[in-house]
Amino acid sequence: MSTYVYGITRRSHPALPEKADGIGEPPRPVRVLTHGELAALVSDAPEDLRPKRRDLLAHQGVLAEAGSAGTVLPLRFGGVSPDDDAVLAVLRERESHYLERLRALDGKVEYNVKAVHDEEAVLHQVLIDNPELRALSQESRSAGGGSYEQKLALGERVAAAVRAREAHDSVLVQEALQEAAADCRPAPDTGRLANLSFLVERDRAEEFTAAVDAFRKEHGHLVVQLNGPLPPYSFVE
């Protein structure tokens, strides 16, 4: 039977969640495979594995339980190996690499920050920042909108100003928050202005979330979503 892998940690990790409910219906019990200084949290893999809500939550739950007691290198949902021996072979071959990553991630968690523009608010901000464009907009309104060509020209200038603001703000999010984090990496592109993963020391978590709150208040034309603390998915290489 195939082996499902949740994450990798140290063999000395306290309170590994062995026998906890894993993925599958009925839930497969979690097992611990060890080699050298490493341990892998695994269970039997169901043949019809799909990203169902119940299984996603079970995957996260195993990692959350293990992560509450120490550092774990999390695998994203769907990590399946042919069997236990294949998992042990990877632990053996990459032991030094995994131990280095565990040391690098000790005492740290991940926060994900997504940001998009509030369309109405960013248009207002663009006009505040650009006196010439604001004057043209006011003239257009006073003239009842102007001709079709004038409307088109004004719309193109406003759209260009919004694009420039997007480029500016995508950098601004990272610059404003990275001082409270140990590392930052772009998350997969989701069409948002910013989608960033921050690696944060556990004892600086309140400082980081406070920085996000302050950023929201200062930049009201941005809608900022914070998710975390999470296992450090984006920082496991």
Side-chain angles (χ1 to χ4, degrees), residues 73-84:
L73 304 180
L75 272 69
R76 296 189 185 277
F77 180 84
V80 178
S81 287
D83 51 34
D84 287 3

Side-chain angles (χ1 to χ4, degrees), residues 6 55 66 69 77 88 92 95 120 157 169:
Y6 300 86
D55 286 337
F77 180 84
L88 290 169
R92 180 172 60 254
E95 182 174 12
E120 184 175 345
R157 291 192 62 177
D169 287 345

Side-chain angles (χ1 to χ4, degrees), residues 143-200:
S147 67
Y148 171 79
E149 290 76 12
Q150 289 171 328
K151 290 178 181 177
L152 183 61
L154 178 60
E156 289 175 346
R157 291 192 62 177
V158 170
V162 169
R163 288 194 297 271
R165 186 75 201 195
E166 287 175 348
H168 172 272
D169 287 345
S170 65
V171 176
L172 183 66
V173 176
Q174 181 172 344
E175 289 180 343
L177 302 178
Q178 62 187 4
E179 288 188 5
D183 198 358
C184 175
R185 295 184 181 178
D189 183 14
T190 56
R192 293 176 172 83
L193 181 146
N195 185 13
L196 300 167
S197 293
F198 292 90
L199 186 65
V200 179

Side-chain angles (χ1 to χ4, degrees), residues 208-222:
F208 182 80
T209 57
V212 174
D213 289 340
F215 183 82
R216 283 195 187 106
K217 292 177 182 177
E218 184 177 355
H219 302 283
H221 64 289
L222 287 169

Side-chain angles (χ1 to χ4, degrees), residues 5-9 30-35 38-42 87 91:
V5 187
Y6 300 86
I8 297 168
T9 186
V30 175
R31 300 180 280 110
V32 179
L33 302 178
T34 60
H35 172 81
L38 294 175
L41 304 175
V42 306
V87 177
L91 295 185

Side-chain angles (χ1 to χ4, degrees), residues 73-108:
L73 304 180
L75 272 69
R76 296 189 185 277
F77 180 84
V80 178
S81 287
D83 51 34
D84 287 3
D85 287 341
V87 177
L88 290 169
V90 173
L91 295 185
R92 180 172 60 254
E93 293 167 5
R94 306 201 69 194
E95 182 174 12
S96 61
H97 170 75
Y98 289 137
L99 289 172
E100 183 279 325
R101 295 313 300 157
L102 285 164
R103 286 190 294 270
L105 298 175
D106 274 341
K108 301 180 179 71

